[in-house]
Amino acid sequence: MKKLLSILLFLSSLVYAVSTENILALSWENSFCKVNPKDKACRMRTYNDYSLTHFVLHGLWPKKKNYCSTRYKFHLSPLLWKVLKKYMPAADYLAKHEWRKHGTCFGTDAETYFLTAIKLTQEFNESAFLTFVRTHMGQYVSLTRIRFVFGGVFGDRNKRKFQLICKRKNGVIYITEIRLNLKGDPTKLDLKKLLDNAKPMVGVRQCQGGIFATP
């Protein structure tokens, strides 16, 4: 699957001028569902869902641009739609919104946009950072420690290139999302290189720590 995604992205990148400054927003669904238990994606989860043990895709957002064009319509093949629903559990109601607001600014068609987002999500979940999160589910983890681990996995100079998002529910602070600052063509470069090229996150509100919820 990963090799197929890479081939499809390479072919697509020959056609389009792609956004080179983006935010990759990845959700920790266990925490999201603690805060939003009535959300459809949370109510529909089963015992073997990918989202129970992996980060899932919220969106890939070109910076400082929204709702750019109606040139490319929202269209995904049945196969890609099936794959997307694994990596974006809320795809039934979120995918079209993400395409209209952010994907139309990415510079490609919808298939290339979501293929790219899936590829980056895969790469993040294949890193040792996910191992750290799984090991510490249910425990309070500080932003300082997360930066230390993130730097150890992706390079020390990249430890401030993300934003941590938290929500409070019944007095408990849950880490619901991590947003990565990326620079470069994401259809051609891997996640590490995109982080290397980017600048640290500045001027954004940072959660100072919280809990990666258990399923």
Side-chain angles (χ1 to χ4, degrees), residues 8-214:
L8 291 172
L9 283 173
F10 173 75
L11 294 174
S12 299
S13 69
L14 300 177
V15 180
Y16 301 108
V18 179
S19 171
T20 57
E21 294 196 39
N22 303 285
I23 299 293
L24 177 66
L26 300 173
S27 298
W28 186 249
E29 198 78 348
N30 297 326
S31 292
F32 175 83
C33 290
K34 291 288 187 184
V35 178
N36 304 281
K38 295 183 179 179
D39 185 90
K40 181 180 178 181
C42 298
R43 291 187 285 106
M44 297 295 288
R45 292 208 296 177
T46 61
Y47 74 95
N48 61 344
D49 277 2
Y50 183 82
S51 67
L52 296 172
T53 53
H54 296 78
F55 284 88
V56 294
L57 177 65
H58 180 174
L60 180 61
W61 305 335
K63 296 176 75 172
K64 301 179 181 179
K65 295 184 290 184
N66 291 320
Y67 301 104
C68 290
S69 173
T70 58
R71 178 183 174 189
Y72 299 114
K73 303 301 182 182
F74 179 80
H75 174 75
L76 302 180
S77 69
L79 176 58
L80 181 53
W81 183 249
K82 181 178 179 180
V83 174
L84 180 62
K85 290 174 76 171
K86 171 183 175 180
Y87 292 95
M88 179 186 273
D92 284 339
Y93 55 90
L94 181 60
K96 188 172 288 188
H97 164 78
E98 289 296 307
W99 168 247
R100 289 174 176 170
K101 184 174 181 179
H102 303 289
T104 56
C105 303
F106 190 65
T108 72
D109 62 7
E111 292 232 340
T112 304
Y113 171 69
F114 283 108
L115 279 169
T116 304
I118 290 168
K119 180 203 74 165
L120 296 174
T121 304
Q122 285 180 328
E123 291 177 6
F124 188 78
N125 281 328
E126 289 169 0
S127 76
F129 187 81
L130 178 61
T131 304
F132 166 78
V133 172
R134 287 175 175 174
T135 303
H136 292 82
M137 284 193 295
Q139 304 174 25
Y140 179 89
V141 187
S142 69
L143 174 62
T144 300
R145 189 172 186 193
I146 292 171
R147 280 176 171 162
F148 176 80
V149 174
F150 193 93
V153 173
F154 295 105
D156 190 63
R157 65 176 176 165
N158 293 327
K159 66 183 181 182
R160 293 182 179 271
K161 296 182 181 179
F162 68 86
Q163 180 185 13
L164 200 65
I165 306 298
C166 297
K167 301 292 183 182
R168 185 185 294 270
K169 179 79 170 188
N170 297 328
V172 180
I173 300 174
Y174 293 104
I175 299 171
T176 57
E177 189 163 289
I178 186 167
R179 298 176 182 175
L180 311 182
N181 200 23
L182 308 179
K183 186 172 183 180
D185 185 343
T187 67
K188 296 179 180 178
L189 301 178
D190 63 24
L191 182 64
K192 173 64 164 56
K193 185 62 176 177
L194 294 168
L195 283 166
D196 287 343
N197 293 341
K199 294 181 179 179
M201 284 278 206
V202 295
V204 297
R205 186 174 181 178
Q206 285 281 11
C207 168
Q208 296 303 303
I211 293 174
F212 288 105
T214 57

